[in-house]
Short mmCIF file of all heavy atoms in Angstrom, two decimals:
data_model
loop_
_atom_site.label_atom_id
_atom_site.label_comp_id
_atom_site.label_asym_id
_atom_site.label_seq_id
_atom_site.Cartn_x
_atom_site.Cartn_y
_atom_site.Cartn_z
N TYR A 99 14.90 -8.80 -21.20
CA TYR A 99 14.80 -9.80 -20.19
C TYR A 99 16.25 -9.96 -19.53
O TYR A 99 16.33 -10.17 -18.29
CB TYR A 99 14.41 -11.13 -20.78
CG TYR A 99 13.01 -11.09 -21.32
CD1 TYR A 99 12.75 -10.98 -22.69
CD2 TYR A 99 11.86 -11.17 -20.51
CE1 TYR A 99 11.50 -10.95 -23.23
CE2 TYR A 99 10.57 -11.13 -21.01
CZ TYR A 99 10.39 -10.93 -22.36
OH TYR A 99 9.08 -10.87 -22.88
N ARG A 100 17.28 -9.85 -20.30
CA ARG A 100 18.64 -9.92 -19.77
C ARG A 100 18.90 -8.76 -18.76
O ARG A 100 19.50 -8.94 -17.75
CB ARG A 100 19.70 -9.91 -20.91
CG ARG A 100 21.06 -10.00 -20.44
CD ARG A 100 22.10 -10.21 -21.58
NE ARG A 100 21.78 -11.12 -22.60
CZ ARG A 100 21.74 -12.49 -22.46
NH1 ARG A 100 22.09 -13.01 -21.33
NH2 ARG A 100 21.40 -13.22 -23.47
N ASP A 101 18.41 -7.57 -19.15
CA ASP A 101 18.58 -6.45 -18.23
C ASP A 101 17.93 -6.69 -16.89
O ASP A 101 18.56 -6.41 -15.86
CB ASP A 101 17.94 -5.19 -18.86
CG ASP A 101 18.60 -4.61 -20.07
OD1 ASP A 101 19.84 -4.89 -20.27
OD2 ASP A 101 17.90 -3.96 -20.81
N ILE A 102 16.76 -7.26 -16.92
CA ILE A 102 16.05 -7.58 -15.63
C ILE A 102 16.79 -8.66 -14.88
O ILE A 102 16.99 -8.54 -13.71
CB ILE A 102 14.62 -8.03 -15.92
CG1 ILE A 102 13.78 -6.94 -16.63
CG2 ILE A 102 13.89 -8.38 -14.62
CD1 ILE A 102 13.60 -5.65 -15.85
N ALA A 103 17.25 -9.71 -15.58
CA ALA A 103 18.03 -10.78 -14.95
C ALA A 103 19.23 -10.22 -14.25
O ALA A 103 19.58 -10.59 -13.08
CB ALA A 103 18.41 -11.87 -15.95
N GLN A 104 19.96 -9.30 -14.92
CA GLN A 104 21.14 -8.72 -14.28
C GLN A 104 20.78 -7.83 -13.15
O GLN A 104 21.44 -7.84 -12.07
CB GLN A 104 21.94 -7.94 -15.32
CG GLN A 104 22.59 -8.83 -16.33
CD GLN A 104 23.26 -8.07 -17.52
OE1 GLN A 104 22.93 -6.96 -17.78
NE2 GLN A 104 24.08 -8.82 -18.27
N GLN A 105 19.71 -7.07 -13.28
CA GLN A 105 19.28 -6.18 -12.17
C GLN A 105 18.95 -6.87 -10.88
O GLN A 105 19.24 -6.40 -9.82
CB GLN A 105 17.99 -5.37 -12.64
CG GLN A 105 17.47 -4.40 -11.63
CD GLN A 105 16.25 -3.64 -12.10
OE1 GLN A 105 16.00 -3.54 -13.25
NE2 GLN A 105 15.48 -3.18 -11.13
N ILE A 106 18.32 -8.05 -11.02
CA ILE A 106 17.98 -8.79 -9.80
C ILE A 106 19.03 -9.75 -9.29
O ILE A 106 18.84 -10.48 -8.38
CB ILE A 106 16.60 -9.57 -10.02
CG1 ILE A 106 16.79 -10.74 -11.02
CG2 ILE A 106 15.46 -8.60 -10.31
CD1 ILE A 106 15.60 -11.61 -11.10
N GLY A 107 20.23 -9.70 -9.97
CA GLY A 107 21.36 -10.50 -9.50
C GLY A 107 21.43 -11.93 -9.96
O GLY A 107 22.09 -12.74 -9.41
N HIS A 108 20.64 -12.26 -11.05
CA HIS A 108 20.61 -13.61 -11.59
C HIS A 108 20.83 -13.52 -13.12
O HIS A 108 19.98 -13.79 -13.90
CB HIS A 108 19.25 -14.28 -11.34
CG HIS A 108 18.94 -14.47 -9.94
ND1 HIS A 108 19.44 -15.58 -9.20
CD2 HIS A 108 18.23 -13.74 -9.05
CE1 HIS A 108 19.00 -15.49 -7.99
NE2 HIS A 108 18.26 -14.41 -7.85
N PRO A 109 22.13 -13.13 -13.52
CA PRO A 109 22.35 -12.83 -14.94
C PRO A 109 22.10 -13.97 -15.93
O PRO A 109 21.85 -13.77 -17.11
CB PRO A 109 23.79 -12.37 -14.92
CG PRO A 109 24.39 -12.90 -13.68
CD PRO A 109 23.23 -12.94 -12.71
N SER A 110 22.15 -15.22 -15.46
CA SER A 110 21.93 -16.36 -16.30
C SER A 110 20.46 -16.86 -16.33
O SER A 110 20.20 -17.79 -17.03
CB SER A 110 22.88 -17.55 -15.95
OG SER A 110 22.56 -17.93 -14.58
#
Side-chain angles (χ1 to χ4, degrees):
Y99 297 101
R100 182 172 316 287
D101 293 336
I102 300 295
Q104 290 172 343
Q105 179 181 340
I106 65 170
H108 297 279
S110 63

